Amino acid sequence: MANVAAELARRKARVEDGTGSRGNAVPFNNQNFEQLRRECLQSGSLFCDPTFPADWDSLGYNQLGRYSSKTIGTEWKRPAELCSDPQFIVDGAKRTDICQGVLGDCWLLAAIASLTLDPQILSRVVPPGQNFSSQYAGIFHFQLWQYGQWVDVVVDDRLPSRDGKLLFVHSAEGGEFWSALLEKAYAKVNSSYEALSGGSSIEGFEDFTGGIAESYDLKKAPPFLFNIMRKALKLGSLLGCSIDISSSRDTEAITGQKLVKGHAYSITGAQQVLHFGSPVELVRIRNPWGQVEWTGAWSDNSKEWDGVQREEKKKLDHSADDGEFWMSYTDFLRQFSRLDICNLTPDTLTSDSVGRWSFSEFEGVWRVGSTAGGCRNYPATFCSNSQFFIRLEDEDDEPHDGESGCTVLIGLMQRDGRRERRFGRDLNTIGFSIYQVPDEFKGRSDIHLGADVLLRRNAVARSQTFTNLREVSDRFKLPPGEYVIIPSTFEPHRRGSYILRVFTEKQAHTTPMEENINANIQEPDVGEKDMDPHFKRLFVQISGNDSEISAFELQQILDKVVAQRSHVKTDGFSLQTCRDIISLLDTDGSSKLGLMEFHRLWKKIQNYLEIFRSHDSDGSGTMSSHEMRAALAEAGFRVNSSVIHQIVDRFSDRSFSIDFDCFIDCLIRLELLFKMFRTLDKKNQGMIQLDLQQWVCLAIN
């Protein structure tokens, strides 16, 4: 219950004051940089981070564990202990500030190197004004995007070293420390340095920008990739490319035409020019080194430029001596291996010269027993996955492939995979599918599509594959219309939490597809004249001299009756359930049930028994928790996924089955909750306010 309250408070804060946005980063581990630095300066001490201590646990758990040969002799030293004049950044951040150590995180280094190409994004990740002189207190901070929110990460400047040299990332000259401290901040949010081993540079791209990344194998380039690149640049996206290496010996080896293998390049332009009157597609590429440029066709001062008009050559700045060069798109596909595009959220960009993506982001959970439904290969559970609605209305301007439609980028990212590694947990195999909303449900997002809809039609699009990566992302062209996106693990019953992100070229309406919580309970119509005389005699026998049934008597009656029903399973009704039943149906305040009240209960239980049996699909005498949403709807209750999570946690057994007494308990408690809320919501506003005494009395009831 406390966890639920904490999550509700977090979501409320995010809505009310933008907590976790670019302008209001969340202090990671509740550590406030300014406050901690001020305390250190006042006490004259250097900061020592208790949440990421200078010990073995922060290094790793296996390859970088206590007894690993890679970490023998490791000492944690501050920069002033490693050189005489430590600097944070000297003359701006440069590619040479980022040299790899013994940690296999070259993917991260390529992403950090990309930061040096864009001062605006660099200053967002590496807040300016940090140094080893003014107000130095051994504490630094960085801002990273982590699964839907920006976090401000504090680190002390004790760094792993051996023989007087940094063990991991370091600058070429050894006296500049921003990259080493940024690597430490990234290790901290992922629990250890070892957690950073192995990965893709697009993961770092995203964590430094909050954007959504696409990756293309240039040997299998789609036919309109040049147009995709040109449009991405107009939208302010970051583009990077690289040449694959076959062995570590090839790292940063230079080809005969001066291209560097295994090296992160950035793409800064894509233009079509007229060469002697014929159109040629060109790509502008930048080497972060600022030197070593391509010497092939369309390179600086190559003969191909003789066929281009002077005005156009001047506009393209074709011969600037700064590590930037042009090459033909066909040579680009032939020479390079991979293209990464990081599409930025609108709040990342400040320039008015570029366009903006429309952007939506949602948090979700795959919870065993309720929303971990797996892919469509598992029809019994697939429809219990969370659903997200999107309405596409306006088609793209200047479609990249010449076909009209609406471009949609969808990214499904699972959380905390690196943090979970030390516990031996693997990433889930994830993907998503897209269905068109049927005509009868158009314009509505207050529903949850069931098997009668989803299993009778095919998906209009889906992720290319289910894979066990941190993120699955794909680009689609869809006609205007209404769609539902269903993110899932491949197999059902796999727990995890995720972020679903949707980018569109035009404005689109997106929202979780969830029922509005409501209850429409049909009370049994009973009157004394309709009562069976046999029922009256039975009631007199079991109610005793006071002609009323207490909670203790009701427990005995219900257990006896259900025990005679071989088609349902039960562990017996709890005394609390019986008290809830009486609280719901007791109209005279006696805390017992009279004849008419008991008759109403009897009719209610008979109705609920029929609902239970209709959803016991395998005749086991229990109901799968994945059937709970549909069973509740039949009983008159409309609830969303958050409520379903709590119901399954409270009423299902370890195999996520629900027996009859738990089913009754759930329905009675729901009816009680709706009744109490409506009693307190006198103005029918959908909101109530309680003081502490009222809250405690209601919660303990």
Side-chain angles (χ1 to χ4, degrees), residues 518-550:
N518 201 358
N520 182 20
I521 304 156
Q522 300 298 318
E523 291 292 348
D525 185 16
V526 296
E528 193 167 351
K529 63 180 181 179
D530 304 320
M531 199 176 300
D532 185 342
H534 174 70
F535 186 87
K536 286 184 180 180
R537 289 194 296 271
L538 178 64
F539 178 79
V540 171
Q541 291 174 11
I542 61 180
S543 62
N545 295 332
D546 61 355
S547 295
E548 289 193 308
I549 294 175
S550 68

Side-chain angles (χ1 to χ4, degrees), residues 3-4 27 73 116 165 243 256 312 314 320 330 363 373 388 451 474 528:
N3 289 337
V4 174
T116 66
K165 296 180 180 179
I243 302 171
E312 196 161 20
K314 185 177 181 181
T330 52
E363 297 182 25
F388 298 88
D474 275 303
E528 193 167 351

Side-chain angles (χ1 to χ4, degrees), residues 394-639:
D394 299 323
E395 295 182 341
D396 299 346
D397 297 329
E398 304 176 18
H400 67 266
D401 54 5
E403 295 183 10
S404 60
C406 309
T407 293
V408 185
L409 294 177
I410 298 176
L412 174 63
M413 177 183 293
Q414 52 188 321
R415 298 172 61 106
D416 300 328
R418 293 187 180 276
R419 294 182 67 88
E420 301 278 304
R421 279 185 185 177
R422 65 168 62 228
F423 307 113
R425 296 175 188 153
D426 295 327
L427 288 168
N428 287 320
T429 301
I430 62 172
F432 56 86
S433 50
I434 306 172
Y435 289 81
Q436 193 153 21
V437 175
D439 290 342
E440 61 268 30
F441 296 118
K442 280 189 175 177
R444 295 185 59 190
S445 58
D446 61 338
I447 55 173
H448 186 92
L449 300 181
D452 57 330
V453 175
L454 296 178
L455 299 183
R456 292 180 181 177
R457 57 183 60 219
N458 293 324
V460 297
R462 57 171 58 89
S463 53
Q464 290 186 16
T465 182
F466 277 77
T467 183
N468 61 340
L469 296 175
R470 181 176 87 150
E471 183 175 45
V472 173
S473 64
D474 275 303
R475 176 186 289 257
F476 304 96
K477 176 72 72 70
L478 297 173
E482 295 181 1
Y483 302 90
V484 57
I485 306 169
I486 304 179
S488 73
T489 57
F490 182 78
E491 296 177 327
H493 319 306
R494 303 284 296 184
R495 70 177 180 87
S497 56
Y498 61 87
I499 301 292
L500 179 72
R501 298 184 291 164
V502 181
F503 281 60
T504 54
E505 285 199 16
K506 295 287 190 175
Q507 285 293 323
H509 174 65
T510 55
T511 183
M513 206 161 183
E514 288 282 14
E515 296 96 330
N516 295 324
I517 299 175
N518 201 358
N520 182 20
I521 304 156
Q522 300 298 318
E523 291 292 348
D525 185 16
V526 296
E528 193 167 351
K529 63 180 181 179
D530 304 320
M531 199 176 300
D532 185 342
H534 174 70
F535 186 87
K536 286 184 180 180
R537 289 194 296 271
L538 178 64
F539 178 79
V540 171
Q541 291 174 11
I542 61 180
S543 62
N545 295 332
D546 61 355
S547 295
E548 289 193 308
I549 294 175
S550 68
F552 300 97
E553 291 168 326
L554 182 59
Q555 183 182 34
Q556 295 173 350
I557 295 166
L558 293 178
D559 283 346
K560 186 174 182 180
V561 169
V562 175
Q564 297 171 359
R565 306 285 181 124
S566 59
H567 54 273
V568 296
K569 288 185 178 179
T570 175
D571 292 328
F573 285 80
S574 71
L575 188 59
Q576 182 59 48
T577 299
C578 295
R579 285 172 172 155
D580 288 342
I581 291 172
I582 291 175
S583 178
L584 177 66
L585 299 174
D586 175 26
T587 57
D588 59 8
S590 65
S591 298
K592 295 183 179 181
L593 296 182
L595 174 61
M596 293 301 298
E597 294 163 340
F598 184 68
H599 192 203
R600 190 176 295 112
L601 169 63
W602 195 250
K603 290 281 190 181
K604 191 182 289 285
I605 287 181
Q606 285 180 317
N607 178 42
Y608 289 165
L609 180 60
E610 289 305 311
I611 294 173
F612 183 84
R613 290 179 63 183
S614 70
H615 290 276
D616 176 14
S617 55
D618 59 359
S620 64
T622 63
M623 187 172 65
S624 165
S625 61
H626 287 277
E627 293 281 3
M628 198 63 177
R629 189 192 296 260
L632 291 175
E634 191 173 338
F637 298 99
R638 293 183 57 176
V639 295

Side-chain angles (χ1 to χ4, degrees), residues 638-658:
R638 293 183 57 176
V639 295
N640 61 21
S641 296
S642 296
V643 177
I644 287 289
H645 291 330
Q646 303 308 314
I647 286 173
V648 171
D649 284 349
R650 178 73 180 267
F651 297 105
S652 66
D653 62 18
R654 66 178 60 187
S655 62
F656 297 97
S657 296
I658 297 171

